[in-house]
Amino acid sequence: MAIAYQDHKERRVYLFLFIFFIIEGAALFLLEVSQYMFLIYSLINLSVLAIMMGVLVLYSKYIMRKPFFKEAFGLGDLLFLFAMALSFATIEFLTFLVFSIFFSLLLHWVNRNRKFNTVPLAGYSGLFLCMVYVVKASNSYG
C-alpha cells in the first residue's frame, strides 16, 4: 500500500520498499512451491518480462521517439514487475499483469491528475494487488 501511495502522490517510491517487496513476495511464493518450481516459474516470468521490456524499449525509441526510462516507463514500474515475476506462478503472473494494466489504465483515466502526465503503474498495480489479496483472504476464510 505504501508503494501505491508514494507512486500516486510523488511518482517516486523509496527503493527499500521495492527490495522488501521482492524479498517478501519471493519468500512467500517459495513457501508454496518447491525450489525447483520456483526457479522454473521465475525464469519463465522473467523471460516474459524481458521480452515485454524489449518491445517497449523499441517502441519507445522508434515510435514514440522518447527516452525509455525518462519518459516512457519508470524504473519503479520495472522493479514492481520484477517483484511480481518472483511472486507468482506463470499463469497467475500473466493474469495479474494483464488485469493490473487494464485496472491501471482505467483508474488513471477516471482519476486524471493534472500535475503528472504519466500513469503510476507500480502504484495502481500495487493497489490492484492489495485488492486481490483482500478478495483472496475473504474467500478462503468464509
Side-chain angles (χ1 to χ4, degrees):
M1 199 61 155
I3 291 173
Y5 179 76
Q6 281 189 331
D7 198 21
H8 179 69
K9 283 292 191 188
E10 302 171 17
R11 296 298 196 277
R12 292 175 186 255
V13 180
Y14 294 125
L15 180 61
F16 79 88
L17 290 173
F18 288 117
I19 293 170
F20 176 75
F21 182 43
I22 290 168
I23 293 169
E24 178 188 25
L28 288 173
F29 184 48
L30 194 52
L31 290 174
E32 292 180 14
V33 298
S34 68
Q35 291 178 350
Y36 177 75
M37 291 308 298
F38 174 80
L39 181 65
I40 296 298
Y41 286 137
S42 296
L43 289 175
I44 293 170
N45 293 350
L46 292 173
S47 297
V48 168
L49 187 58
I51 291 168
M52 188 177 83
M53 288 297 111
V55 169
L56 288 174
V57 165
L58 292 174
Y59 182 82
S60 172
K61 183 175 184 176
Y62 295 110
I63 305 297
M64 293 174 53
R65 300 194 189 282
K66 293 184 178 184
F68 184 66
F69 277 121
K70 288 187 178 180
E71 294 184 36
F73 201 80
L75 182 59
D77 301 331
L78 179 60
L79 289 172
F80 186 87
L81 293 176
F82 180 79
M84 296 310 302
L86 298 178
S87 301
F88 290 108
T90 302
I91 297 298
E92 293 170 337
F93 171 68
L94 293 173
T95 303
F96 175 82
L97 181 64
V98 169
F99 283 103
S100 71
I101 289 172
F102 281 134
F103 177 79
S104 299
L105 290 174
L106 178 67
L107 198 58
H108 186 69
W109 181 73
V110 169
N111 186 27
R112 278 177 250 163
N113 188 342
R114 307 290 180 221
K115 183 178 176 184
F116 297 107
N117 201 14
T118 58
V119 176
L121 182 62
Y124 289 155
S125 295
L127 181 62
F128 183 72
L129 179 64
C130 289
M131 291 170 37
V132 168
Y133 278 141
V134 166
V135 169
K136 184 177 178 180
S138 66
N139 286 336
S140 62
Y141 297 117

